[in-house]
Amino acid sequence: MLSKLTVVDRELADQLHNELIRQNMTIELIASENFVPPVILEAQGSILTNKYAEGYPGRRYHAGCEHIDVIETLAIERAKTLFGAEYANVQPHSGVNANLGVYFAVLKPGDTILGMSIDHGGHLSHGTKMSISGRFYKSFAYGVTQDTEVIDYDQVRSLAKQHSPQLIVAGASAYSRQIDYAAFRNIADEVGAYLLVDMAHIAGLVAAKLLPSPVPYADFVTFTTTKTMRGARGGMIVARQEFGDKIDKALFPGIQGGHILQAVAAKALCFKLAMTDDFIAYQQQIVKNSQLLCRTLQKSGFRIVAGGTDNHLFLVDLEGMLTGKAAEERLAAIGIMVNKNLIPYDSRPPVHASGIRLGTAAMTARGSKEDAMEEIGNIIARVLTNGQDESVLADAKNRVREFCLHYPLYLTTTELRAAVGD
Ligand SMILES: *Cc1c(COP(=O)(O)O)cnc(C)c1O
């Protein structure tokens, strides 16, 4: 039977179909992306999109919230259990909104924040000038040391003493090593600052206890349920109970109106799934895959920023070779998706960059294991070093196609082969 969408809007349905095939037929190594289980799609595509429920469970501004209240409470309670937190807010539309919610809860415009430099792996929302976080607040940035490429905690301390921030942000979008939350806590205490840990990328690894949890150290922890959590499109805040009231008010009515209830349902489901042995096994495989992909590239002579990875991602240094932009384009042309990325102390501007960022959460979700990572690593190495050679590119493109046909996504192998005319 034809889907309703195909009947009603063929033009749009065609593009959804094209995107499904694109997702199937490319090797997805963009570190922030993932493939959610079909049940997440079901929850997030549900009739909850019809409802308004401003406010919080038991104190709403709309009638008819009895089921929504149960759903939102499920999400809150599961998040608290999963992360051992006293308080959770499941309403942020996104990771950036979760951070804004924290800022709005405890800062006044003009207050000072200290976050990780975006040039060294930090995130836009940690105080960059082009973001609201750097326009409404005074911001300073710390980075990594030039030799080890791990966070320069001495610099964090000296900047904190010099600028007396009200809030310090730890957490990153392109950092492959563990973060020392106790060190951040000590520095925050020395200068009387709040500590926010933004674990957007690594929340799944923290939930599976493969990385240390920031929850015991931070006043606030934000994350997304996309990325390694493999769940809803949306943001989250967990915190100590004493901040609960302020955060609730900051999210609604402070920075948001009605929240996205179908995403809240998908968050509740995401947390339930994250409590299973399957999820832990999945997270373990993500790290194994990341470390193996990293080693495969190292064996082929590539330098990895910070010498390796403790999580799902790492940066490949291409200095002296092609630019990150050229590498991204060349890999995309054969069906491997990565993103260009600055490396610490990069000599090139951000539009070109000297690195690429690779992550394994998505391909692990498709079932890829170590042998697959070795294959992918070898394809990447060949294409980056012999990219002028048309026969190398043609061969790589074929290998990617064959590879993808082995890991069908939301389709059976037969359906995928039929869809691509194989
Ligand atoms: C991805 C990311 C976010 C942003 O999340 P959105 O849902 O895209 O708003 C926030 N912080 C960090 C560290 C991230 O990596």
Side-chain angles (χ1 to χ4, degrees), residues 402-420:
E402 279 311 306
F403 183 97
C404 290
L405 288 170
H406 275 100
Y407 297 94
L409 180 69
Y410 308 126
L411 296 170
T412 64
T413 303
T414 314
E415 287 166 347
L416 179 57
R417 285 189 181 274
V420 299

Side-chain angles (χ1 to χ4, degrees), residues 10-21:
R10 187 55 189 260
E11 193 182 1
L12 178 64
D14 282 351
Q15 293 314 316
L16 280 176
H17 172 82
N18 291 347
E19 173 62 14
L20 173 65
I21 300 307

Side-chain angles (χ1 to χ4, degrees), residues 293-342:
L293 184 59
C294 185
R295 271 203 302 281
T296 306
L297 289 166
Q298 282 172 319
K299 275 190 211 152
S300 303
F302 290 91
R303 194 186 82 81
I304 305 301
V305 170
T309 179
D310 301 323
N311 57 32
H312 65 302
L313 64 76
F314 56 89
L315 297 174
V316 185
D317 178 2
L318 302 171
E319 202 127 56
M321 301 176 63
L322 69 180
T323 65
K325 181 172 192 282
E328 176 185 315
E329 286 168 0
R330 193 184 292 173
L331 289 170
I334 61 149
I336 296 182
M337 301 297 141
V338 304
N339 63 277
K340 67 173 182 289
N341 215 101
L342 287 175

Side-chain angles (χ1 to χ4, degrees), residues 25 66 95 106 110 129 193 209-210 229 293 301 303 308 311 320 350 387 399:
M25 295 307 292
E66 59 270 30
V106 295
K129 297 296 168 210
K209 301 196 162 50
L210 301 178
M229 283 299 289
L293 184 59
R303 194 186 82 81
N311 57 32
R399 282 165 72 184

